[in-house]
Amino acid sequence: MLRAGAGVAVRLAASPCLGSSSGAVACGKRGYTSGQESLKQTPLYDFHRHHGGKMVAFAGWSLPVQYTKSHLESHLHTRQHCSLFDVSHMLQTKVFGKDRVKFMESLVVGDIAELKPNQGTLSLFTNEKGGIMDDLIVTSTSEEHLYVVSNAGCMDKDFALMENKAKEMKAAGCDVSLEVSENALLALQGPAMAQVLQAGVTDDLAKLPFMSSVMTSVFGVQGCRVTRCGYTGEDGVEISVPASKAVELAEMLLRDPAVWLAGLAARDSLRLEAGLCLYGNDIDENTTPVEASLTWTLGKRRRAAMDFPGASVILSQIKEKPKKKRVGLTSTGPPIRQHMHIFSPEDKAIGEVTSGCPSPCLQKNIAMGYVESAYSKLSTALTVEVRKKSCPGVVTKMPFVPTHYYTVK
């Protein structure tokens, strides 16, 4: 995810989230392989193959890395028009019961109680050491349940975490229960999204701001939840659709020439340009929200109450400053990739790249990584070791490309 850096605020997940690359783009974790044995398939698997999707293994799923268009064409089309992504591998969970908010706040850092009906927020599962167990989006629905979307790569871990907490609370007399949604999940992302989607919904999308959702029919498909969020930095939605209707809806969206199909390669380079974290690369159980520059996810009331996992560690870091910080980097020379070492002007090893690729929009190398806090100030000159050679870089503000999350005028 972080589907969203969405100040992220999104998936992604997304990114997401937070969500979330391939040899084609080589952004994020290089978790793609061509082997398809024993992989889970989304309801759109045959649809992808029919449309020329190059299927790869990702987080235990068979997903398209790209289609007939090149990665560069797909990336730029998303920025200029809009693209359709299959993100059905994400875990969608519904939380029911009168103690559902108490339940969720026992696991995450966000202020879930303050959410209005059909409003969502990016939050983080944390452990007792303050480490990030996953990023997720929590929406308080008008149907009196919480709708939670978290990352596919953490699916088993996330559900076990929630299930164990639910059992614990039930044993204490609380009212809470979980349901895993079998819906597919489609992400329509890009500046043309609203025009494309408005033709298929009766709700006025101009009244649907970023991180809000609505239950509606989409091009005649009933029972869809449309959430204005995404993992690209562009205006976009994620549509939770009954699995049996996913292909039908995807085909209808593709009737508009503004819509192209896009895969994991474009998704990863788009999220990096938007400064969004990929769980397992840029955030994990060994990084805290403060180190990851995600302090804004901590609810003000939650900070005062210190009632979320790892609160003492996290709040201590806010007060005393962490030893390391996630930063954006731009560089010249060959692209910088995950795990490459970062050095100070004095040639001292100070950190490591977590994600990196050439930016299709900026025509230069971009990356993010962790450095000692003393070297995290914007415009600090650093070097990155690429194939045993030092390449100059500079700490750069994120997002690298301006984001266009929609707010009601």
Side-chain angles (χ1 to χ4, degrees), residues 250-276:
E251 293 285 13
M252 285 189 286
L253 290 168
L254 284 179
R255 290 176 184 175
D256 194 309
V259 182
W260 286 9
L261 290 170
L264 293 167
R267 182 171 161 85
D268 204 47
S269 55
L270 288 160
R271 70 91 189 171
L272 184 52
E273 284 188 341
L276 308 183

Side-chain angles (χ1 to χ4, degrees), residues 158-363:
D158 288 353
F159 190 74
L161 177 71
M162 290 188 285
E163 188 175 43
N164 289 338
K165 176 57 70 170
K167 288 179 179 177
E168 176 187 316
M169 290 183 64
K170 284 180 180 179
C174 294
D175 177 23
V176 62
S177 62
L178 305 176
E179 176 187 307
V180 175
S181 172
E182 298 298 325
N183 278 8
L185 193 63
L186 301 176
L188 186 64
Q189 299 285 303
M193 178 282 297
Q195 181 179 345
V196 170
L197 191 63
Q198 189 63 77
V201 298
T202 57
D203 299 86
D204 185 358
L205 294 179
K207 297 179 180 178
L208 188 73
F210 181 64
M211 295 305 288
S212 61
S213 74
V214 62
M215 284 296 295
T216 187
S217 65
V218 183
F219 289 102
V221 176
Q222 303 294 320
C224 295
R225 176 169 293 280
V226 176
T227 305
R228 203 152 196 167
C229 66
Y231 198 42
T232 64
E234 297 296 332
D235 186 18
V237 294
E238 292 181 354
I239 307 170
S240 182
V241 54
S244 63
K245 295 291 185 178
V247 171
E248 177 184 334
L249 179 55
E251 293 285 13
M252 285 189 286
L253 290 168
L254 284 179
R255 290 176 184 175
D256 194 309
V259 182
W260 286 9
L261 290 170
L264 293 167
R267 182 171 161 85
D268 204 47
S269 55
L270 288 160
R271 70 91 189 171
L272 184 52
E273 284 188 341
L276 308 183
C277 296
L278 172 63
Y279 191 83
N281 281 37
D282 310 302
I283 51 176
D284 58 27
E285 294 188 25
N286 295 312
T287 55
T288 70
V290 185
E291 294 168 339
S293 299
L294 295 174
T295 307
W296 58 269
T297 61
L298 307 179
K300 183 177 180 181
R301 174 179 60 85
R302 306 300 309 283
R303 295 192 200 195
M306 294 184 66
D307 60 350
F308 53 87
S312 60
V313 175
I314 293 169
L315 295 176
S316 176
Q317 285 190 345
I318 292 175
K319 182 178 180 180
E320 301 172 6
K321 306 302 180 186
K323 294 181 180 180
K324 63 180 182 180
K325 289 280 285 185
R326 179 174 65 93
V327 298
L329 296 169
T330 53
S331 73
T332 57
I336 54 180
R337 309 293 192 189
Q338 184 189 22
H339 299 313
M340 290 182 174
H341 297 295
I342 304 171
F343 294 85
S344 71
E346 303 82 26
D347 204 31
K348 170 189 173 185
I350 57 167
E352 184 175 277
V353 174
T354 54
S355 292
C357 72
S359 164
C361 290
L362 301 179
Q363 299 283 291

